[in-house]
Amino acid sequence: MGARRPGRHRRGLRVTAPEGTRPTRSGPSTGRGGDRRPVRPPLDRPRRAAYEAVAAVHRDDAFANLVLPIILREEGLFGRDAAFATELTYGTLRHLGTLDAILTDAAGRDVARIDPPVRDALRLGAYQLLHTRVPAHAAVSSTVDLVRSVAPGATGFANAVLREVSSRDADAWVAKLAPPMETDPVGHLALAYSHPQWIVRAFSEALGGDLGETERLLIEDNERPPVHLCARPGLIDPVELADQVGGAPGAFSPYAVYLPGGSPGDIPAVVDGRAHVQDEGSQLVATALADAPLDGPDGRWLDLCAGPGGKAGLLGALAAQRGARVTAVEVAEHRARLVSLATRDLPVAVLTMDGREVGGDPKLPEQHFDRVLVDAPCTGLGSLRRRPESRWRRQPSDLPPLTRLQRELLGAALRAVRPGGLVAYVTCSPHTVETHVTVTEAARRSGVAVDFVDARPLLPAGMPGLGDGPTVQLWPHRHGTDAMFLAVLRRG
């Protein structure tokens, strides 16, 4: 297949600098003795906020979605300024691998040898030059001002590097630096679309080796994802919620609403617990478990890995309509508190304990529950759109301990469910080791009879690209959701 360049297929927002952030020519000022000295414009706050967020991610292993809102509040940034800072932060983190390759070439030294404060400032500047409509002179000038504030001795170096970056557009840099698609497709796609090679390889394997579809997935991973709300059933109608927020009902989940913008934390329905933020894919897999046909009693549901509480909140709202109760288990105390907040006023009991203790603790008896959800800890490769720093933090060495934990949790779920009951195994990762391999191995080792239920009919009719079953893999580029995996098992 022919190589396609990221610049020709970006559908994300192209931003311009907010009012008041572009450098302006200041009039001269008069110093002592009548000296006329130029006055530099103050460092603009949106770029400073983006720098602080990116620096915190790299310096402190912070998460952008947690640290950036705090920085925006502290800086008093709202509206267009906040949107600009957000775009710079997330865009820089998404494109980090490609930006670093370009900066390495432009600087004539490995980017790892550049002092961290200067390195992060240059990344922000390069992102503006290559992926926004900020004029080149403004991107260079504002970044040099930023470097002056964090490393005054490096301003000349920063200016020279950024001018070299600005000598080519993004497509031309990819053409220069990426290996040929014909001889090294994984290496080419990794540099062109800023993903580690091992992740590109994993995506390609999960997509059956289709490099064209892999490329479409990588493109989608670099887009800014919409915010999805979940209108909790029985508490608010999704059409009503869409009208209230000026959004639109979701394409697939009966409870999904697409938020056009703004802060979801300011929405009254979210504040009072009638709705919550949740990717549409997460809604679909939780609803699939709740709606799957089941013979016999159906009043005891279990969420075995409940933190931070999104799926427990949806299951709790559904359970309230059906006379059922949910037991939500979370091993970390702070995440268990989040589950309690997310499920207040719902028929949900939160237990702070390890879900693998099924059968070893009277609160988690064996063969007791009718429906069990295992939303297992995973690499999170399915949500790289929302957590762009994760693609650079995760390593293949993370897989063995995670898959062992996944097998143990699924084994515990199969002990917890009654004969004839249902278990849904869910991961926000398409990596085959975390999906098909884990679920097959856990079922084989469980020591109980297990049948796979075809999950495709449990999702809305007409959903495209659900594969051959019995499991289902959702995709950003196919469904507009995170890459959620779902397997449904019935205990014999």
Side-chain angles (χ1 to χ4, degrees):
M1 57 176 283
R4 287 186 284 173
R5 306 300 185 201
R8 296 171 190 155
H9 298 277
R10 288 192 301 271
R11 294 184 287 111
L13 178 67
R14 301 274 286 179
V15 298
T16 57
E19 292 298 327
T21 67
R22 298 182 184 180
T24 58
R25 186 179 300 277
S26 298
S29 65
T30 302
R32 280 188 180 179
D35 291 341
R36 298 172 68 83
R37 299 174 182 173
V39 175
R40 302 201 61 85
L43 188 66
D44 66 82
R45 294 185 298 153
R47 287 184 175 90
R48 182 74 194 195
Y51 169 80
E52 294 293 347
V54 169
V57 166
H58 297 139
R59 182 187 62 239
D60 307 326
D61 285 337
F63 293 96
N65 67 314
L66 299 180
V67 72
L68 180 59
I70 297 172
I71 294 172
L72 294 178
R73 285 198 302 271
E74 290 176 347
E75 291 286 346
L77 296 178
F78 304 97
R80 190 178 179 188
D81 283 346
F84 184 59
T86 300
E87 171 67 13
L88 291 185
T89 300
Y90 281 91
T92 299
L93 294 173
R94 288 190 186 100
H95 292 273
L96 192 68
T98 306
L99 295 175
D100 279 1
I102 293 169
L103 289 170
T104 292
D105 187 88
R109 69 177 76 167
D110 193 296
V111 74
R113 295 176 53 209
I114 300 174
D115 287 344
V118 179
R119 184 168 62 218
D120 283 331
L122 289 175
R123 287 163 168 166
L124 284 163
Y127 177 76
Q128 293 173 68
L129 287 168
L130 300 174
H131 295 283
T132 76
R133 289 199 180 99
V134 174
H137 69 87
V140 173
S141 175
S142 61
T143 304
V144 170
D145 285 343
L146 178 58
V147 170
R148 180 176 290 105
S149 72
V150 297
T155 55
F157 169 74
N159 184 70
V161 171
L162 291 171
R163 292 194 180 281
E164 179 63 21
V165 171
S166 69
S167 68
R168 295 178 176 86
D169 64 14
D171 291 347
W173 275 113
V174 169
K176 178 184 181 184
L177 299 178
M181 186 73 181
E182 295 72 23
T183 58
D184 185 3
V186 169
H188 179 92
L189 293 174
L191 191 138
Y193 300 109
S194 198
H195 283 67
Q197 289 195 27
W198 75 273
I199 293 180
V200 175
R201 200 171 289 112
F203 285 170
S204 176
E205 180 181 353
L207 289 165
D210 187 328
L211 292 175
E213 191 168 12
T214 301
E215 186 174 27
R216 290 192 292 275
L217 170 60
L218 298 175
I219 291 169
E220 194 66 30
D221 250 1
N222 286 336
E223 299 297 322
R224 185 176 64 176
V227 174
H228 296 170
L229 300 178
C230 176
R232 292 185 171 181
L235 298 178
I236 189 170
D237 182 82
V239 175
E240 176 188 355
L241 178 60
D243 288 342
Q244 290 179 4
V245 301
F252 302 115
S253 167
Y255 313 115
V257 171
Y258 300 158
L259 185 65
S263 172
D266 297 333
I267 297 171
V270 172
V271 173
D272 63 24
R274 292 175 294 144
H276 62 268
V277 177
Q278 185 177 38
D279 178 76
E280 189 173 15
S282 293
Q283 299 175 39
L284 288 169
V285 296
T287 304
L289 171 64
D291 291 346
L294 178 66
D295 294 329
D298 192 15
R300 295 177 296 204
W301 300 0
L302 173 64
D303 185 348
L304 201 60
C305 314
K311 294 181 182 68
L314 176 52
L315 289 175
L318 291 168
Q321 293 184 308
R322 304 178 191 181
R325 295 193 61 82
V326 179
T327 300
V329 177
E330 172 53 49
V331 67
E333 287 189 14
H334 71 284
R335 287 170 65 86
R337 288 193 295 269
L338 293 176
V339 178
S340 296
L341 289 173
T343 59
R344 62 187 187 275
D345 301 325
L346 294 173
V348 178
V350 181
L351 302 179
T352 306
M353 60 187 300
D354 192 325
R356 292 172 292 181
E357 296 179 18
V358 169
D361 189 294
K363 296 177 183 178
L364 278 181
E366 293 188 3
Q367 302 186 44
H368 178 75
F369 297 94
D370 307 304
R371 300 179 190 266
V372 180
L373 173 65
V374 184
D375 183 15
C378 66
T379 56
L381 301 186
S383 59
L384 298 183
R385 303 180 303 162
R386 303 186 188 280
R387 298 177 178 87
E389 66 272 12
S390 295
R391 71 182 73 176
W392 312 115
R393 290 180 177 171
R394 284 300 187 187
Q395 302 293 332
S397 58
D398 296 332
L399 285 165
L402 276 173
T403 53
R404 182 169 59 251
L405 175 60
Q406 291 160 3
R407 290 193 301 268
E408 292 171 352
L409 287 166
L410 183 50
L414 291 171
R415 296 196 307 272
V417 73
R418 65 167 173 82
L422 296 168
V423 173
Y425 172 78
V426 171
T427 64
C428 189
S429 170
H431 199 300
T432 55
V433 173
E434 298 188 88
T435 57
H436 298 285
V437 173
T438 286
V439 74
T440 302
E441 279 296 299
R444 183 181 66 82
R445 299 179 187 185
S446 67
V448 301
V450 174
D451 295 318
F452 279 82
V453 176
D454 191 346
R456 293 172 298 171
L458 305 179
L459 296 175
M463 280 195 74
L466 295 183
D468 300 327
T471 62
V472 164
Q473 179 68 64
L474 302 178
W475 293 101
H477 66 292
R478 289 185 186 175
H479 309 107
T481 68
D482 290 345
M484 303 295 300
F485 173 83
L486 170 67
V488 180
L489 305 95
R490 190 185 308 274
R491 176 169 175 167

